[in-house]
Amino acid sequence: MSSVEEVRLSLPHIELAAHLFGPEDGLPVIALHGWLDNANSFARLAPKLEGLRIIALDMAGHGHSGHRPLGAGYALWDYAHDVLQVAEQMGWKRFALLGHSMGAIVSVVLAGALPERVTHVALIDGVIPPTAAHDNTAERMGMALQAQLDLQEKRKPVYSTLDRAIEARMKGLVAVSREAAELLAQRGLMPVPGGYTWRTDSRLTLASPLRLTDEQAMSFVQRISCPAQLVVAADGMLAKHPELLERLPFSREQLPGGHHLHLNDESGAALVADCFNRFFAVP
């Protein structure tokens, strides 16, 4: 495996941890992982990508990165702002985005909002945020506000051994392989009295107070002006929504595997890498 460099970025508003891969003169890429994951989501894929200078972030509230201050939230546009600040720090006027799941959604939001900044969009099993009809907006916000209040009473689970924590991650909301769970746990767990718990900010489990309508979400997709490639996992999340896939103007490739196909095993990572190497090589 090629070497990876651990870096910390002191942004004006938060400190983020990240992994750097690839040649210094490679095409600039900011890689964004999925919900409750971390930079190790790209541990298998990034070394297989050619000619790219990849900075894989621990997004705010995840892995070794800082948590947002009390009273702040984790909206998609807040992550998009973080990415822009990372680009400033790296001195990158233009850059590509590589995103998995929630990271793919943030990539679409940013590439649609500021299309002139983004050179390529490479997406793994994620496109737009879950949408909602506008008639239940007030009710949804009420539930989200109440959940914020109730969170103060909740405590994170503590696992007596690393093994138990890894097993819990394997069986999480989205199941992953043992190797994937171990990689995510490396950056995701911290010791506490009585064992281990996840470093992630508990506020990440809260429902979003505001969901976009379908038209609003698709407006980001439609405004993307750079080449875009979407990898759909055959047993993942997007394959269940063929009607959404048909509406996307992106190049699309379906590959075998689950939602974390780029991380679950070496063969899945190699298939995704092959697809993206072809995508990034097109002049």
Side-chain angles (χ1 to χ4, degrees):
M1 250 189 181
S2 62
S3 64
V4 54
E5 190 187 341
E6 176 85 34
V7 292
R8 293 197 72 81
L9 303 165
S10 292
L11 307 182
H13 63 298
I14 199 166
E15 190 166 293
L16 298 184
H19 278 163
L20 267 174
F21 300 88
E24 282 185 36
D25 61 351
L27 179 85
V29 180
I30 300 174
L32 305 172
H33 60 75
W35 180 62
L36 303 183
D37 291 343
N38 53 58
N40 264 359
S41 178
F42 298 104
R44 283 185 146 143
L45 175 62
K48 295 177 170 59
L49 296 175
E50 293 151 14
L52 308 181
R53 180 61 163 172
I54 300 169
I55 184 160
L57 303 180
D58 281 343
M59 290 163 77
H62 297 75
H64 292 278
S65 285
H67 294 186
R68 299 213 192 279
L70 289 173
Y74 288 91
L76 294 172
W77 35 92
D78 294 322
Y79 288 125
H81 172 244
D82 295 343
V83 172
L84 289 170
Q85 292 284 8
V86 168
E88 294 294 307
Q89 187 101 342
M90 300 294 289
W92 292 347
K93 274 280 155 271
R94 300 187 76 225
F95 49 88
L97 292 166
L98 164 60
H100 170 241
S101 196
M102 179 184 82
I105 295 168
V106 174
S107 299
V108 167
V109 166
L110 181 53
L114 291 172
E116 67 282 0
R117 297 294 303 269
V118 182
T119 63
H120 303 74
V121 176
L123 308 171
I124 304 169
D125 220 41
V127 182
I128 58 170
T131 58
H134 50 72
D135 54 3
N136 66 352
T137 306
E139 186 184 356
R140 169 175 291 280
M141 181 144 326
M143 287 160 64
L145 289 169
Q146 188 57 51
Q148 278 178 24
L149 290 177
D150 297 342
L151 189 67
Q152 291 155 8
E153 308 302 316
K154 291 192 177 147
R155 292 284 164 266
K156 283 187 188 175
V158 174
Y159 304 95
S160 56
T161 64
L162 278 174
D163 210 51
R164 287 199 169 152
I166 289 165
E167 280 175 11
R169 181 61 192 88
M170 286 168 69
K171 301 186 183 94
L173 191 65
V174 178
V176 295
S177 69
R178 177 157 194 105
E179 291 92 355
E182 284 172 356
L183 281 163
L184 294 172
Q186 270 175 26
R187 287 185 84 74
L189 287 173
M190 63 182 181
V192 289
Y196 298 87
T197 193
W198 298 100
R199 293 176 183 275
T200 38
D201 191 331
S202 304
R203 289 174 290 176
L204 293 166
T205 62
L206 292 169
S208 137
L210 197 59
R211 278 196 173 176
L212 301 178
T213 64
D214 187 71
E215 293 79 10
Q216 287 173 322
M218 288 303 290
S219 74
F220 290 93
V221 168
Q222 285 145 7
R223 202 156 172 261
I224 293 174
S225 59
C226 65
Q229 172 80 46
L230 169 63
V231 164
V232 177
D235 303 315
M237 294 188 169
L238 283 181
K240 301 183 182 90
H241 299 282
E243 71 296 335
L244 168 63
L245 294 176
E246 288 310 313
R247 294 159 60 204
L248 297 173
F250 306 152
S251 309
R252 197 164 81 233
E253 192 157 330
Q254 182 159 309
L255 296 174
H259 186 56
H260 287 73
L261 75 167
H262 64 299
L263 178 65
N264 276 330
D265 53 51
E266 284 297 322
S267 60
L271 286 173
V272 176
D274 178 55
C275 174
F276 286 156
N277 280 327
R278 280 182 278 123
F279 169 63
F280 280 108
V282 175

